[in-house]
Amino acid sequence: MIYYKGYVVNSSDVKGYYKIGRNINTPRYSEFTTEFSNRTDANDIVLIRSSLGKLRSFYNNYNEVVIEDEQLIALLRKIKVFIDFDNIFEYSSFNDFDDIDGYEIIYTKVVDSEGRVFAREIKTGAVFPILNDSSFKNTYYLTTYDNISEENYDNMYAIEMEIDIKDNFILRADNIVVFEDVANRNEVEDYLESYESEYGPDTDTETIINDANSNVFAGPIEEKEEKNLSLSEENICIGQIKYYLSYLKTLDQNEYERYSGHLEYLINGFEDKDLNTPITINDFRNILSRVKFLCLFNENLKNGITTSLLKIEDDSVKRTTGSDAREFSITKLDHLYELFLSNKDSLSLKEQYLILHEFTRCYVLKIKEYSLSKVDVLNTHFKELIYYALSISDDSYVRYAMDLINDLASEEDEVSLIKHI
């Protein structure tokens, strides 16, 4: 389950106020603020002035008028005058979020039968609307304000933004959730513990429930029934096996025919209850591992069984020198190492040694490329290759990480003793 962080705020606080200038309805005498002008280019200013000029009735009869001109709205969005839901409060009348009376919650998402998404706070189960384009809309106004510091008292103009409910299911939304972010396990555990004390639930729990109860929905939220519409693992494995077989066919026809036939046997017998040994998902996993290994560690490749590792080394060297190369993370290298371990018995001891030698160089290059710490390295399989690294310490690549290698090796009693002889 994915947990999210967000802030509960009063919907009336979600608004913006942006001063743009004076005499903006008069092209000859219009004067935009410096800050506003710096956001625009000459073409934008011409179009904005033209669009504002269409609001003639505003200047004669009203102090405030709704902006409905989509071209004008698009222009002001372009230069980031209006607040949209991705940068909420960035251009609001508040200096920062601390000016708004809100608080953080951690929640899961609830999807109803119509596809609406709500936030369910994880401690109380209270449900809030989430500020998004599906449930809410922005309303924009052109308005005037007094500029008493000026010698003349020409009206100064500003653009205001407020949010309105767009979804008829939400009848009232006094408190909503903004600022969506993913929460990790530590944050979730800390959050859950913070709401309990030896004296019972904190008052914040009551606040959450009260704020949620201030919202009104047209009916109960009927959660969408979760259906498993994904492929089975067997089907996923078969697709991957077929892909690797198509590549293996170009490398080794005999192995291709062997494992193609084996795959057909597994597919045909998967649901055969009369077999003495039933076929399981593990049979598909095993053949996938084997076929993938034959593709990546095949002596018929250009550089033999170490081709894949030599390619990783080459890419890593290019990336450390600033060249545009394909990234191969150390996590992927770990997976490749595990694939080797699962199939190593099919290789001779000499072949295994050559591969382990290249794996060592690959890991060292990744250590340099990502500037990995000792803690990071201990979470990889490189710790199993320390002796290999020490034995080829004169290798130009391995010298990249000799300080770290020696540090790791010093924890081995025998190595520590030898270094002092």
Side-chain angles (χ1 to χ4, degrees):
M1 179 177 291
I2 300 176
Y3 294 92
Y4 300 88
K5 298 184 293 183
Y7 283 85
V8 175
V9 301
N10 191 287
S11 58
S12 64
D13 282 345
V14 185
K15 58 186 178 182
Y17 187 83
Y18 197 94
K19 299 177 182 179
I20 61 172
R22 64 183 176 186
N23 294 326
I24 59 176
N25 62 320
T26 308
R28 188 173 179 179
Y29 301 106
S30 60
E31 181 182 333
F32 290 97
T33 64
T34 301
E35 205 281 338
F36 180 76
S37 298
N38 288 341
R39 291 180 178 275
T40 62
D41 58 35
N43 291 330
D44 288 339
I45 282 289
V46 171
L47 292 171
I48 290 170
R49 183 184 289 117
S50 173
S51 297
L52 291 173
K54 297 175 183 178
L55 301 175
R56 295 297 181 186
S57 61
F58 160 71
Y59 305 114
N60 298 325
N61 304 310
Y62 303 99
N63 289 326
E64 182 177 87
V65 66
V66 176
I67 298 176
E68 297 177 331
D69 186 329
E70 292 298 330
Q71 182 186 40
L72 177 56
I73 292 174
L75 283 169
L76 294 170
R77 275 190 185 279
K78 173 186 173 184
I79 59 179
K80 295 186 177 180
V81 169
F82 285 158
I83 304 170
D84 54 37
F85 298 149
D86 293 329
N87 64 342
I88 199 70
F89 304 121
E90 184 175 346
Y91 300 108
S92 71
S93 54
F94 301 96
N95 293 325
D96 53 43
F97 185 78
D98 292 335
D99 291 329
I100 299 174
D101 186 18
Y103 53 87
E104 188 177 51
I105 64 167
I106 291 182
Y107 62 92
T108 57
K109 289 185 177 180
V110 178
V111 182
D112 74 2
S113 57
E114 300 298 322
R116 303 181 187 91
V117 183
F118 300 89
R120 173 178 285 156
E121 196 273 334
I122 61 174
K123 185 65 178 179
T124 64
V127 175
F128 293 88
I130 298 175
L131 183 62
N132 55 40
D133 291 322
S134 299
S135 301
F136 296 90
K137 62 182 179 180
N138 291 334
T139 302
Y140 308 107
Y141 303 91
L142 184 63
T143 185
T144 60
Y145 65 95
D146 292 331
N147 185 35
I148 58 176
S149 64
E150 296 286 339
E151 292 182 2
N152 55 43
Y153 294 95
D154 293 335
N155 279 338
M156 298 290 288
Y157 295 95
I159 295 170
E160 287 189 90
M161 185 218 74
E162 296 178 355
I163 63 167
D164 294 312
I165 298 170
K166 183 165 68 175
D167 189 338
N168 293 332
F169 181 77
I170 303 174
L171 302 181
R172 181 170 171 176
D174 288 2
N175 294 287
I176 59 178
V177 170
V178 299
F179 287 140
E180 176 183 306
D181 195 7
V182 175
N184 61 37
R185 180 177 296 179
N186 292 333
E187 291 170 326
V188 172
E189 291 177 355
D190 290 344
Y191 178 82
L192 289 173
E193 291 174 1
S194 69
Y195 282 93
E196 290 289 345
S197 69
E198 59 182 313
Y199 306 106
D202 292 346
T203 55
D204 280 348
T205 303
E206 296 179 7
T207 300
I208 292 171
I209 295 173
N210 289 335
D211 286 348
N213 288 340
S214 70
N215 302 317
V216 181
F217 305 121
I221 297 175
E222 299 178 2
E223 294 190 43
K224 182 179 180 180
E225 181 181 355
E226 294 294 333
K227 296 180 179 179
N228 184 8
L229 300 177
S230 58
L231 286 175
S232 67
E233 188 177 353
E234 292 81 14
N235 281 316
I236 293 173
C237 277
I238 291 170
Q240 293 176 332
I241 293 168
K242 294 290 285 186
Y243 165 74
Y244 287 109
L245 281 173
S246 67
Y247 182 70
L248 182 61
K249 187 176 183 179
T250 66
L251 297 175
D252 193 322
Q253 184 68 28
N254 290 333
E255 294 286 23
Y256 164 76
E257 292 177 357
R258 174 185 175 186
Y259 284 101
S260 290
H262 190 29
L263 177 62
E264 290 301 317
Y265 169 76
L266 294 181
I267 294 172
N268 294 332
F270 183 65
E271 295 175 334
D272 188 346
K273 298 180 180 179
D274 294 331
L275 292 177
N276 291 332
T277 305
I279 295 171
T280 68
I281 183 60
N282 285 331
D283 294 298
F284 289 98
R285 290 172 182 158
N286 291 337
I287 189 175
L288 174 59
S289 174
R290 182 60 186 159
V291 173
K292 189 187 297 185
F293 176 79
L294 288 171
C295 289
L296 294 171
F297 296 91
N298 196 300
E299 61 184 13
N300 293 328
L301 290 167
K302 181 180 178 181
N303 295 307
I305 59 176
T306 60
T307 295
S308 299
L309 298 173
L310 291 171
K311 176 60 177 172
I312 294 171
E313 291 174 22
D314 183 55
D315 285 354
S316 192
V317 169
K318 288 179 179 178
R319 285 177 60 80
T320 56
T321 57
S323 300
D324 184 17
R326 176 179 179 271
E327 180 181 7
F328 196 92
S329 68
I330 198 163
T331 301
K332 293 178 181 177
L333 184 60
D334 261 356
H335 292 327
L336 190 61
Y337 182 80
E338 290 166 3
L339 178 66
F340 160 74
L341 293 179
S342 299
N343 295 272
K344 68 181 188 309
D345 292 341
S346 64
L347 300 173
S348 68
L349 186 61
K350 181 179 179 179
E351 289 172 328
Q352 291 180 42
Y353 164 73
L354 291 174
I355 290 177
L356 289 171
H357 175 88
E358 296 303 332
F359 263 118
T360 302
R361 299 178 82 202
C362 286
Y363 273 107
V364 170
L365 284 168
K366 291 302 168 187
I367 290 169
K368 174 179 172 58
E369 183 179 337
Y370 295 107
S371 300
L372 299 180
S373 67
K374 179 179 178 180
V375 174
D376 294 328
V377 173
L378 286 173
N379 288 324
T380 73
H381 285 293
F382 182 67
K383 58 182 179 291
E384 302 167 14
L385 300 172
I386 292 298
Y387 282 98
Y388 279 87
L390 290 170
S391 68
I392 55 174
S393 59
D394 58 339
D395 187 297
S396 60
Y397 289 165
V398 175
R399 285 201 298 269
Y400 285 149
M402 279 313 300
D403 287 344
L404 188 146
I405 291 169
N406 285 326
D407 189 19
L408 293 171
S410 65
E411 297 182 7
E412 298 283 343
D413 292 339
E414 295 85 353
V415 172
S416 181
L417 179 60
I418 287 176
K419 285 182 178 294
H420 286 81
I421 293 177

